[in-house]
């Protein structure tokens, strides 16, 4: 699993039109943890918090792209509904 960046976290929330509290609730992490990470006050998340956040976003259709998976590099996308 690749590391979750602050930019990817914020972009994924924006795709879902979620507030920070929505993601914190869905992932079971504190809103302070999430806000600290997204603002850059904290550069990393614990492995368990990162996994919980990514799992919550993936459950809503967010796909985390690896470097080289698309021309633009790593990022997030919404999975096609099929």
């Amino acid at each position: 699993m690749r590391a979750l960046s602050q930019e990817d976290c914020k972009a994924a929330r924006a795709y879902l039109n979620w507030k920070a509290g929505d993601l914190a609730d869905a992932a079971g992490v504190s809103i302070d943890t999430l806000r600290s990470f997204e603002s850059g006050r904290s550069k990393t998340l614990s492995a368990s918090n990162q996994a919980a956040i990514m799992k919550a976003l993936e459950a809503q259709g967010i796909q985390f792209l690896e470097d080289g998976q698309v021309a633009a590099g790593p990022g997030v996308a919404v999975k096609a509904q099929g």
Side-chain angles (χ1 to χ4, degrees):
M1 170 172 57
R2 74 173 179 86
L4 178 66
S5 71
Q6 291 98 340
E7 296 81 9
D8 287 349
C9 191
K10 289 187 279 188
R13 274 198 314 105
Y15 273 129
L16 299 174
N17 197 30
W18 273 11
K19 295 178 181 173
D22 298 326
L23 178 53
D25 289 345
V29 302
S30 77
I31 193 157
D32 290 338
T33 295
L34 183 62
R35 285 185 176 152
S36 180
F37 174 66
E38 286 189 345
S39 72
R41 287 191 316 262
S42 174
K43 299 294 182 196
T44 60
L45 291 165
S46 69
S48 61
N49 283 345
Q50 176 177 302
I53 289 169
M54 291 177 79
K55 183 177 178 179
L57 292 169
E58 288 169 338
Q60 297 299 312
I62 296 296
Q63 179 179 8
F64 294 93
L65 306 173
E66 300 290 335
D67 191 19
Q69 194 170 354
V70 293
V76 297
V78 178
K79 290 182 182 177
Q81 300 297 317

